[in-house]
Amino acid sequence: MLVSQFQEARRFMGRLDAGQDMVAAFVTICKDNGVRSGWIQVAAFLRNAVIQSPLEDGTGLGEACVFPGVLVFPNVQGNVSLRGDAVDVRLYAAGYGVGGDGVAALGLLQGGEVISCEFFLVASDDVSLVRDVEDGDLAPWVQLQTAPETRPRPVMSVPLEGP
């Protein structure tokens, strides 16, 4: 088990521009804002989504497949961690066919062209989740690194009462 409580958090809310690759955009957001650990929630419409589905035996993920056309992703969940020196963004998704065709794609989202994407990201600034570089596609977090104090704590002063 690996558990940590964090105190320092920043919250980001926004949208991605049409035509961007969704996963690459989140990596850029994290790098540009110094996010080393966090949680992402997304609602999106993507064209040509690239997804790695889990293997039936549960030992890993299959080859990445492109799902042509437009898929709806009403609830993508994922996280930000470190793998070596790189920011690792993992987005777990179920993509639905337009027109209620049911789940068309399920697994780890590797990319896709944004048609519409709105997100919420919570960054934990005093803890970094670290993955083993050597592990496979489903490498778990193997370490929590605490970051040095990111901002000064408030100091309380009490006025001295004189005679």
PDB file of all heavy atoms in Angstrom, residues 11 39 43 81 89 110 134 137 141 163:
ATOM      1  N   ARG A  11      -5.317  24.064  -8.172  1.00  0.00           N
ATOM      2  CA  ARG A  11      -6.397  23.545  -8.994  1.00  0.00           C
ATOM      3  C   ARG A  11      -6.417  24.305 -10.312  1.00  0.00           C
ATOM      4  O   ARG A  11      -6.306  25.527 -10.324  1.00  0.00           O
ATOM      5  CB  ARG A  11      -7.724  23.700  -8.276  1.00  0.00           C
ATOM      6  CG  ARG A  11      -7.851  22.811  -7.041  1.00  0.00           C
ATOM      7  CD  ARG A  11      -9.012  23.280  -6.206  1.00  0.00           C
ATOM      8  NE  ARG A  11      -8.971  23.264  -4.783  1.00  0.00           N
ATOM      9  CZ  ARG A  11      -7.997  23.570  -3.954  1.00  0.00           C
ATOM     10  NH1 ARG A  11      -6.857  23.923  -4.395  1.00  0.00           N
ATOM     11  NH2 ARG A  11      -8.128  23.531  -2.659  1.00  0.00           N
ATOM     12  N   TRP A  39      -4.241  14.759 -10.130  1.00  0.00           N
ATOM     13  CA  TRP A  39      -5.382  13.986 -10.614  1.00  0.00           C
ATOM     14  C   TRP A  39      -6.127  14.818 -11.648  1.00  0.00           C
ATOM     15  O   TRP A  39      -6.308  16.025 -11.472  1.00  0.00           O
ATOM     16  CB  TRP A  39      -6.330  13.622  -9.471  1.00  0.00           C
ATOM     17  CG  TRP A  39      -7.218  12.491  -9.859  1.00  0.00           C
ATOM     18  CD1 TRP A  39      -8.515  12.581 -10.270  1.00  0.00           C
ATOM     19  CD2 TRP A  39      -6.877  11.120  -9.913  1.00  0.00           C
ATOM     20  NE1 TRP A  39      -8.999  11.331 -10.576  1.00  0.00           N
ATOM     21  CE2 TRP A  39      -8.013  10.410 -10.361  1.00  0.00           C
ATOM     22  CE3 TRP A  39      -5.726  10.397  -9.626  1.00  0.00           C
ATOM     23  CZ2 TRP A  39      -8.024   9.037 -10.528  1.00  0.00           C
ATOM     24  CZ3 TRP A  39      -5.740   9.034  -9.789  1.00  0.00           C
ATOM     25  CH2 TRP A  39      -6.879   8.365 -10.234  1.00  0.00           C
ATOM     26  N   ALA A  43     -14.004  15.642 -19.601  1.00  0.00           N
ATOM     27  CA  ALA A  43     -15.140  15.295 -20.458  1.00  0.00           C
ATOM     28  C   ALA A  43     -14.748  15.765 -21.855  1.00  0.00           C
ATOM     29  O   ALA A  43     -14.328  16.909 -22.026  1.00  0.00           O
ATOM     30  CB  ALA A  43     -16.409  15.991 -19.992  1.00  0.00           C
ATOM     31  N   SER A  81       2.210  11.627 -12.779  1.00  0.00           N
ATOM     32  CA  SER A  81       3.288  11.141 -11.938  1.00  0.00           C
ATOM     33  C   SER A  81       4.599  11.342 -12.693  1.00  0.00           C
ATOM     34  O   SER A  81       4.624  11.914 -13.779  1.00  0.00           O
ATOM     35  CB  SER A  81       3.073   9.664 -11.584  1.00  0.00           C
ATOM     36  OG  SER A  81       3.000   8.886 -12.761  1.00  0.00           O
ATOM     37  N   VAL A  89       1.527  11.147 -17.858  1.00  0.00           N
ATOM     38  CA  VAL A  89       0.091  11.399 -17.738  1.00  0.00           C
ATOM     39  C   VAL A  89      -0.633  10.131 -18.165  1.00  0.00           C
ATOM     40  O   VAL A  89      -0.443   9.645 -19.274  1.00  0.00           O
ATOM     41  CB  VAL A  89      -0.344  12.593 -18.628  1.00  0.00           C
ATOM     42  CG1 VAL A  89      -1.863  12.736 -18.629  1.00  0.00           C
ATOM     43  CG2 VAL A  89       0.311  13.875 -18.140  1.00  0.00           C
ATOM     44  N   GLN A 110      -4.071   7.024 -25.138  1.00  0.00           N
ATOM     45  CA  GLN A 110      -2.718   7.445 -25.527  1.00  0.00           C
ATOM     46  C   GLN A 110      -2.720   8.710 -26.372  1.00  0.00           C
ATOM     47  O   GLN A 110      -1.668   9.294 -26.594  1.00  0.00           O
ATOM     48  CB  GLN A 110      -2.024   6.319 -26.305  1.00  0.00           C
ATOM     49  CG  GLN A 110      -1.810   5.066 -25.506  1.00  0.00           C
ATOM     50  CD  GLN A 110      -0.819   5.254 -24.367  1.00  0.00           C
ATOM     51  OE1 GLN A 110      -0.056   6.202 -24.330  1.00  0.00           O
ATOM     52  NE2 GLN A 110      -0.854   4.350 -23.416  1.00  0.00           N
ATOM     53  N   GLU A 134      11.555   0.885 -15.344  1.00  0.00           N
ATOM     54  CA  GLU A 134      11.696  -0.431 -15.976  1.00  0.00           C
ATOM     55  C   GLU A 134      10.390  -1.201 -16.083  1.00  0.00           C
ATOM     56  O   GLU A 134      10.285  -2.137 -16.866  1.00  0.00           O
ATOM     57  CB  GLU A 134      12.716  -1.280 -15.206  1.00  0.00           C
ATOM     58  CG  GLU A 134      14.088  -0.645 -15.104  1.00  0.00           C
ATOM     59  CD  GLU A 134      14.718  -0.377 -16.467  1.00  0.00           C
ATOM     60  OE1 GLU A 134      14.608  -1.242 -17.357  1.00  0.00           O
ATOM     61  OE2 GLU A 134      15.316   0.697 -16.631  1.00  0.00           O
ATOM     62  N   ASP A 137       3.599  -1.216 -18.997  1.00  0.00           N
ATOM     63  CA  ASP A 137       2.556  -0.215 -19.211  1.00  0.00           C
ATOM     64  C   ASP A 137       1.711   0.079 -17.974  1.00  0.00           C
ATOM     65  O   ASP A 137       1.192   1.173 -17.835  1.00  0.00           O
ATOM     66  CB  ASP A 137       1.616  -0.673 -20.327  1.00  0.00           C
ATOM     67  CG  ASP A 137       2.333  -0.815 -21.659  1.00  0.00           C
ATOM     68  OD1 ASP A 137       3.231   0.006 -21.920  1.00  0.00           O
ATOM     69  OD2 ASP A 137       1.998  -1.734 -22.409  1.00  0.00           O
ATOM     70  N   TRP A 141       2.695   3.213  -8.950  1.00  0.00           N
ATOM     71  CA  TRP A 141       3.549   4.145  -8.231  1.00  0.00           C
ATOM     72  C   TRP A 141       4.378   3.301  -7.282  1.00  0.00           C
ATOM     73  O   TRP A 141       3.873   2.438  -6.574  1.00  0.00           O
ATOM     74  CB  TRP A 141       2.731   5.123  -7.421  1.00  0.00           C
ATOM     75  CG  TRP A 141       1.819   6.008  -8.218  1.00  0.00           C
ATOM     76  CD1 TRP A 141       2.097   6.614  -9.411  1.00  0.00           C
ATOM     77  CD2 TRP A 141       0.492   6.401  -7.883  1.00  0.00           C
ATOM     78  NE1 TRP A 141       1.028   7.358  -9.830  1.00  0.00           N
ATOM     79  CE2 TRP A 141       0.027   7.248  -8.910  1.00  0.00           C
ATOM     80  CE3 TRP A 141      -0.344   6.133  -6.815  1.00  0.00           C
ATOM     81  CZ2 TRP A 141      -1.231   7.823  -8.891  1.00  0.00           C
ATOM     82  CZ3 TRP A 141      -1.594   6.691  -6.793  1.00  0.00           C
ATOM     83  CH2 TRP A 141      -2.030   7.538  -7.827  1.00  0.00           C
ATOM     84  N   PRO A 163       3.897  46.767  30.770  1.00  0.00           N
ATOM     85  CA  PRO A 163       3.401  47.073  32.126  1.00  0.00           C
ATOM     86  C   PRO A 163       2.448  48.243  32.170  1.00  0.00           C
ATOM     87  O   PRO A 163       2.272  49.074  31.444  1.00  0.00           O
ATOM     88  CB  PRO A 163       4.652  47.370  32.926  1.00  0.00           C
ATOM     89  CG  PRO A 163       5.783  47.490  31.964  1.00  0.00           C
ATOM     90  CD  PRO A 163       5.292  46.985  30.653  1.00  0.00           C
TER      91      PRO A 163
END
